[in-house]
């Protein structure tokens, strides 16, 4: 508090006292004890007020696991809001480059960071130990190896945030189920960050939306506030399982859309394919217990934001599916497009040099659906094209008979 603010604060206390006790005495007639009382009372109120704000506007200590494009985009969002981050990067070369040149040399190199806000490390134990919120942003296939150095109690009294847009292929588990089994992280301490949100558009500061899901809505809203910027709006919901499965499935359907595009199907066919994919995805989500999978129905108001509650036609479900199927930034659409044009799966993987989550996800969902038994001809055909050597043209011809 500067001198001017202190003067205003003391004057307001004096005015409040005069109104309360209804006296009108000139300052020159007041005893010294009155001024001492006003000063001490002001200090007391200011200290209480300071403690209050410290409690409400507390500093969250974030740790980011991963240094790819999505991790870099999330690091940009947090540091744009003035948050200091502990950041696990792949090697010392990347760390040195970020310190000296202020950008990631491999991903989103147009994004520049304030080095004072970055604590960079190649030691995951150090990053986790020094952070309160652990944001996991590595491809699902690398989650187990990345977390392997940690002890089973490493996440005790910490919150885990998943920015993983896939399913762990070794055991067909969502991240929350895996860390509960191996690190005893309860679902109450777990949050998700889902799109639709391409890292490239975050880098360019084009308006985007992120959905934060967690069991504790107030805690989720507090977390979401740390990511809200002029170029990024945040939404909160409680559908932890539904949003994760939606993020997995949309990658599979984007592969299918890419395959069709590579086979030179037109926009008319793609629109029908994607509309049917949306319906198929909704059927699976209902089977796994996701709520609000309706269009045009909003059951209640969000108690935190007071907006209408999200349904299936909103960003994290249908919106993410649409952008992943149509956008040129979509890795899965690009991967599928290459397969449709005649690339082998291996050749497409080598050419991209980036992970298309839908490849492993197609096999995981195929196996998981043996339990849930949802009707999924599109997802099953994508799986067979990628894993059972069904010709892309034959696969899409097979899908045609199911489309309405």
């Amino acid at each position: 508090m500067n001198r001017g603010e202190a003067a205003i604060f003391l004057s307001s206390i004096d005015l409040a006292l005069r109104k309360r006790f209804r006296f009108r005495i000139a300052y020159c007639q007041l005893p010294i004890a009155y001024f001492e009382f006003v000063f001490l009372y002001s200090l007391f109120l200011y200290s209480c007020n300071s403690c209050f704000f410290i409690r409400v506007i507390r500093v969250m200590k974030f740790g980011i696991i991963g240094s790819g494009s999505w991790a870099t985009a999330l690091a940009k969002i947090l540091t744009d809001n003035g948050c200091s981050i502990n950041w696990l990067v792949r090697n010392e070369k990347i760390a040195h480059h970020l310190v000296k040149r202020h950008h990631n040399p491999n991903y989103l190199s147009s994004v520049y960071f304030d080095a004072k806000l970055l604590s960079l490390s190649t030691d995951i134990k150090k990053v986790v130990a020094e952070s309160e919120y652990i944001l996991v942003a590595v491809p699902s296939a690398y989650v187990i190896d990345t977390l392997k150095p940690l002890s089973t109690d490493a996440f005790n009294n910490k919150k885990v945030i998943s920015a993983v847009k896939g399913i762990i292929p070794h055991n067909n588990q969502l991240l929350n189920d895996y860390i509960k089994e191996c690190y005893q992280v309860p679902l109450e301490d777990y949050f998700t960050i889902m799109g639709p949100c391409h890292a490239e558009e975050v880098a360019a500061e084009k308006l985007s939306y992120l959905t934060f899901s967690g069991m504790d809505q107030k805690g989720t809203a507090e977390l979401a506030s740390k990511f809200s910027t002029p170029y990024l709006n945040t939404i909160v919901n409680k559908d932890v399982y539904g949003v994760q499965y939606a993020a997995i499935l949309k990658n599979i359907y984007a592969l299918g859309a890419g395959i069709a595009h590579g086979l030179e199907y037109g926009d008319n066919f793609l629109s029908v394919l994607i509309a049917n994919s949306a319906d198929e995805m909704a059927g699976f989500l209902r089977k796994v217990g996701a709520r609000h999978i309706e269009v045009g129905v909003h059951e209640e108001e969000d108690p935190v934001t007071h907006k209408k509650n999200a349904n299936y036609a909103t960003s994290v479900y249908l919106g993410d599916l649409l952008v992943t199927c149509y956008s040129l930034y979509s890795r899965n659409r690009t991967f599928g497009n290459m397969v449709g044009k005649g690339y082998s799966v291996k050749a497409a993987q080598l050419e991209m040099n980036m992970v298309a989550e839908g490849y492993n996800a197609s096999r995981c969902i195929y196996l998981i659906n043996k339990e849930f038994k949802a009707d999924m001809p599109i997802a099953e055909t994508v799986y067979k094209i990628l894993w059972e050597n069904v010709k892309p043209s034959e696969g899409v011809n097979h899908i045609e008979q199911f489309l309405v």
Side-chain angles (χ1 to χ4, degrees), residues 24 29 50 53-54 102-103 135 154 172 176 180 182 207 243 261 264 296 320 329:
R24 298 188 180 188
Q29 296 177 298
S50 297
F53 281 113
I54 289 169
H102 306 288
H103 68 91
L135 202 165
N172 301 332
N176 61 284
K180 181 180 180 181
C182 298
L207 183 62
V243 298
H261 185 266
E264 299 187 352
D320 208 1
Y329 289 127

Side-chain angles (χ1 to χ4, degrees), residues 208-355:
S208 302
Y209 286 73
L210 282 176
T211 295
F212 292 76
S213 296
M215 302 306 294
D216 173 12
Q217 278 196 295
K218 287 188 177 179
T220 308
E222 182 184 11
L223 172 64
S225 69
K226 300 300 180 183
F227 291 80
S228 180
T229 71
Y231 58 85
L232 203 144
N233 290 334
T234 59
I235 301 164
V236 171
N237 80 10
K238 296 192 293 185
D239 188 15
V240 175
Y241 278 89
V243 298
Q244 290 181 98
Y245 276 122
I248 293 161
L249 289 164
K250 55 94 176 177
N251 289 329
I252 300 171
Y253 297 125
L255 284 169
I259 290 170
H261 185 266
L263 290 167
E264 299 187 352
Y265 281 80
D267 290 343
N268 293 338
F269 176 80
L270 285 174
S271 69
V272 176
L273 175 64
I274 295 166
N276 279 261
S277 297
D279 182 64
E280 186 174 293
M281 183 168 84
F284 180 88
L285 293 178
R286 285 194 183 94
K287 289 279 189 178
V288 300
R291 298 174 59 219
H292 306 305
I293 307 301
E294 299 87 19
V295 175
V297 177
H298 299 272
E299 292 184 4
E300 63 221 9
E301 183 184 81
D302 186 290
V304 178
T305 64
H306 302 294
K307 293 181 180 179
K308 62 184 180 182
N309 250 334
N311 64 13
Y312 187 63
T314 47
S315 57
V316 74
Y317 304 106
L318 188 58
D320 208 1
L321 172 67
L322 292 173
V323 76
T324 310
C325 288
Y326 279 118
S327 175
L328 296 179
Y329 289 127
S330 170
R331 301 178 191 182
N332 291 282
R333 183 184 187 277
T334 300
F335 187 92
N337 186 58
M338 295 170 74
V339 171
K341 288 184 178 298
Y343 282 72
S344 68
V345 168
K346 187 66 176 177
Q349 288 172 326
L350 291 171
E351 181 79 15
M352 281 187 61
N353 195 34
M354 297 176 81
V355 175

Side-chain angles (χ1 to χ4, degrees), residues 113-188:
F113 293 95
D114 181 351
K116 295 191 295 295
L117 296 175
L118 305 180
S119 176
L120 301 160
S121 177
T122 58
D123 182 1
I124 189 171
K125 294 179 182 177
K126 180 175 184 291
V127 169
V128 170
E130 295 178 357
S131 305
E132 177 188 6
Y133 284 78
I134 315 301
L135 202 165
V136 182
V138 296
S140 57
Y142 304 131
V143 165
I144 292 177
D145 287 342
T146 300
L147 301 183
K148 189 178 290 183
L150 297 173
S151 62
T152 56
D153 62 351
F155 293 120
N156 284 4
N157 302 314
K158 299 181 186 296
K159 310 292 185 184
V160 177
I161 310 165
S162 173
V164 177
K165 297 182 178 181
I167 194 164
I168 299 173
H170 306 78
N171 44 23
N172 301 332
Q173 284 182 307
L174 297 175
L175 180 62
N176 61 284
D177 292 326
Y178 175 73
I179 60 174
K180 181 180 180 181
E181 179 182 297
C182 298
Y183 298 96
Q184 293 78 56
V185 178
L187 191 60
E188 292 73 22

